[in-house]
Amino acid sequence: MILIKNIKGLVQVREKSPKYLSGAQMQELPVLENAWISLKDGRIYDFGSMDNCPENDTSDVIDAQGSFVLPAWCDSHTHLVYAGNREKEFELRLKGATYQEIAAAGGGILNSAKTLQNTSEEELYQQSAARLKAVMHMGTGAIEIKSGYGLELEAEMRMLRVARRLGETFNIPVRTSFLAAHAVPESFETSGAYVAHIIAEMLPKVAESGLADYIDIFCEDGYFSLNDTDQLLGAAAAYELRPKIHVNQFTAEGGVALGVDHNALSVDHLEEFTKADLTALKGSETIAVALPGCSFFLGIPYTPARRIIDAGLPLALATDYNPGSAPSGNMNFVVSAACSKMKMTPQEAINAATINGAYAMGLENEVGSITKGKRANLIITENIPSIGYLPYSFGQNHIKEVIIGGQRLNSSN
Ligand code: NIG
Ligand code: FE
């Protein structure tokens, strides 16, 4: 049992957890002032005001004086399992090459796929474990991880096995997405031919392995068409793999409505966004996911959060952690950038990075709020003046301690 007492503000306290928050609800971030919280068997056991703080029997007591406690970040879109890096492409881009030009010249996703295909499972695990450890220390307590740098069955399965092993080893909820449709390998003439191959040869085996929770595709000009997306999502539905898709990163051509038609859990990126996209999302159970780290790194537009939220829709925030378009898994930066660049309020951004992030990976009953019975995944801040100080004071670390599954992280874990 752990008891955290003298908490200046216990943030995101919900007696009953909402599924997700939409529109004006996102502005409401409940804070219990001068509070305590107790954790038992890896779960949130109880909490309340310091006026009724329980006796300190045998508990491990943390005195949080001056600190805020909030649910750990829920990062619903990452490619954290990858091999090597692409800093050379970064330098090419700084000299004027575009992301698409680099990809067309055999760089980009195909470059990472070549590296991964030549990396052993153990080595891939070690590289990925180091990244996961680092993001957990930055406050991430639940994460979605995609395949997509294998592009052939064995390497895709290797990525998914590594993702599952990470979840078990680090006692953190990991949701996985099967993203073989990330780029077209050189051995295929067309995207359609590769999608047909994924459907016939890869999908049945991946589904049978139980290694994937969701299906993903990079629906984009020069990658996979609307028709490819329709085919793949239709086939995946037969295996009960719900879509979480990459769409509207560079062009908006109707992929959002298609995702909604296929009952996607989330549509991610949306740096380009039309009125038709907004209309398609209304009344659906599909959540929009913004990835400001990608906009920052590639210098492309930011997802129009205000248009989405002001239309009454829900929005989640995630890192997109990957070697090409967002080589950072820091959710604190994402929350900060969402405020500064997308004009979200701190309350909206924190809701988007906790409860809405949890929903965007099907974990809303497990994480994302301070609710009894949910996993004890918590961030304890340093002594900061307000919760809005977190995004305001960007690029600085204000986390004193992170607790995941009731375990206090320290320098040795
Ligand atoms: O979400 N856009 C597609 N996939 C990743 C980038 C992958 C890469 O460049 O390696 C993304 O931005
Ligand atoms: Fe991505």
Side-chain angles (χ1 to χ4, degrees):
M1 185 105 151
I2 295 179
L3 174 69
I4 310 173
K5 60 178 197 176
N6 295 322
I7 301 167
K8 181 172 181 166
L10 185 59
V11 180
Q12 189 64 303
V13 176
R14 310 267 178 182
E15 283 299 329
K16 195 174 166 297
S17 171
K19 227 164 119 177
Y20 56 80
L21 301 164
S22 321
Q25 294 173 332
M26 288 184 68
Q27 183 52 38
E28 292 157 27
L29 182 66
V31 178
L32 182 63
E33 284 175 11
N34 193 24
W36 59 271
I37 184 169
S38 62
L39 318 175
K40 196 178 170 192
D41 300 330
R43 303 263 160 188
I44 295 171
Y45 183 67
D46 205 358
F47 54 82
S49 150
M50 279 308 288
D51 301 340
N52 315 301
C53 187
E55 294 291 310
N56 298 343
D57 48 42
T58 56
S59 309
D60 180 4
V61 178
I62 302 174
D63 191 330
Q65 212 142 35
S67 293
F68 288 88
V69 170
L70 59 152
W73 304 126
C74 299
D75 190 353
S76 67
H77 180 137
T78 86
H79 309 248
L80 174 135
V81 171
Y82 62 85
N85 277 298
R86 303 223 300 271
E87 66 273 28
K88 295 219 167 55
E89 294 182 6
F90 171 51
E91 290 178 32
L92 289 176
R93 277 200 304 103
L94 298 180
K95 292 189 182 123
T98 66
Y99 180 83
Q100 291 96 322
E101 283 164 1
I102 291 167
I109 295 164
L110 293 182
N111 179 2
S112 287
K114 215 172 283 167
T115 311
L116 188 135
Q117 285 161 0
N118 294 316
T119 302
S120 73
E121 186 154 336
E122 185 55 30
E123 173 61 22
L124 184 61
Y125 173 78
Q126 294 302 340
Q127 290 187 23
S128 307
R131 284 180 209 117
L132 181 61
K133 245 167 121 168
V135 301
M136 287 170 71
H137 280 269
M138 291 189 281
T140 295
I143 193 165
E144 183 259 14
I145 302 177
K146 300 169 190 305
S147 68
Y149 294 119
L151 309 184
E152 49 95 10
L153 182 62
E154 203 293 314
E156 286 287 307
M157 297 273 267
R158 199 185 310 159
M159 293 183 74
L160 294 168
R161 281 193 300 269
V162 166
R164 285 276 191 250
R165 183 175 160 199
L166 289 172
E168 283 153 22
T169 310
F170 288 87
N171 188 28
I172 177 175
V174 170
R175 302 290 272 170
T176 57
S177 300
F178 176 47
L179 177 58
H182 198 193
V184 182
E186 275 153 7
S187 52
F188 288 84
E189 295 255 302
T190 62
S191 62
Y194 178 48
V195 166
H197 171 78
I198 296 173
I199 292 171
E201 305 296 333
M202 300 167 82
L203 189 56
K205 299 199 175 78
V206 169
E208 207 209 313
S209 73
L211 289 169
D213 300 312
Y214 299 103
I215 184 79
D216 196 350
I217 184 167
F218 187 12
C219 179
E220 185 59 60
D221 237 14
Y223 291 84
F224 296 91
S225 67
L226 286 174
N227 184 48
D228 296 333
T229 305
D230 195 29
Q231 299 292 319
L232 182 66
L233 301 191
Y239 299 99
E240 290 177 12
L241 289 175
R242 207 173 160 191
K244 273 176 67 61
I245 63 172
H246 285 76
V247 65
N248 287 25
Q249 184 174 2
F250 304 113
T251 54
E253 288 170 347
V256 171
L258 185 61
V260 171
D261 280 349
H262 283 277
N263 189 31
L265 176 58
S266 71
V267 284
D268 305 27
H269 274 289
L270 314 179
E271 290 88 342
E272 299 298 324
F273 197 69
T274 66
K275 227 171 140 187
D277 297 326
L278 197 70
T279 308
L281 284 169
K282 279 192 183 157
S284 77
E285 290 289 290
T286 303
I287 190 167
V289 178
L291 310 165
C294 174
S295 300
F296 172 84
F297 193 67
L298 293 188
I300 61 177
Y302 286 83
T303 304
R306 282 269 56 94
R307 272 174 68 201
I308 294 170
I309 297 171
D310 294 345
L313 294 172
L315 181 71
L317 287 166
T319 62
D320 197 16
Y321 195 1
N322 77 77
S325 71
S328 163
N330 188 344
M331 281 294 284
N332 304 283
F333 170 77
V334 163
V335 167
S336 209
C339 296
S340 296
K341 299 292 180 188
M342 294 157 62
K343 306 290 174 240
M344 290 173 73
T345 66
Q347 290 75 17
E348 288 171 337
I350 291 171
N351 277 323
T354 55
I355 188 65
N356 282 5
Y359 175 78
M361 55 180 154
L363 289 174
E364 70 274 16
N365 294 324
E366 280 288 290
V367 290
S369 64
I370 304 292
T371 302
K372 285 180 206 169
K374 279 200 178 180
R375 284 188 190 238
N377 290 0
L378 305 175
I379 291 170
I380 305 176
T381 70
E382 305 222 301
N383 190 335
I384 52 174
S386 73
I387 198 68
Y389 192 84
L390 274 187
Y392 158 79
S393 179
F394 74 94
Q396 313 221 55
N397 177 30
H398 297 296
I399 296 179
K400 186 161 67 184
E401 184 164 354
V402 178
I403 298 178
I404 303 293
Q407 293 286 108
R408 299 175 71 172
L409 298 192
N410 56 44
S411 47
S412 66
N413 65 8

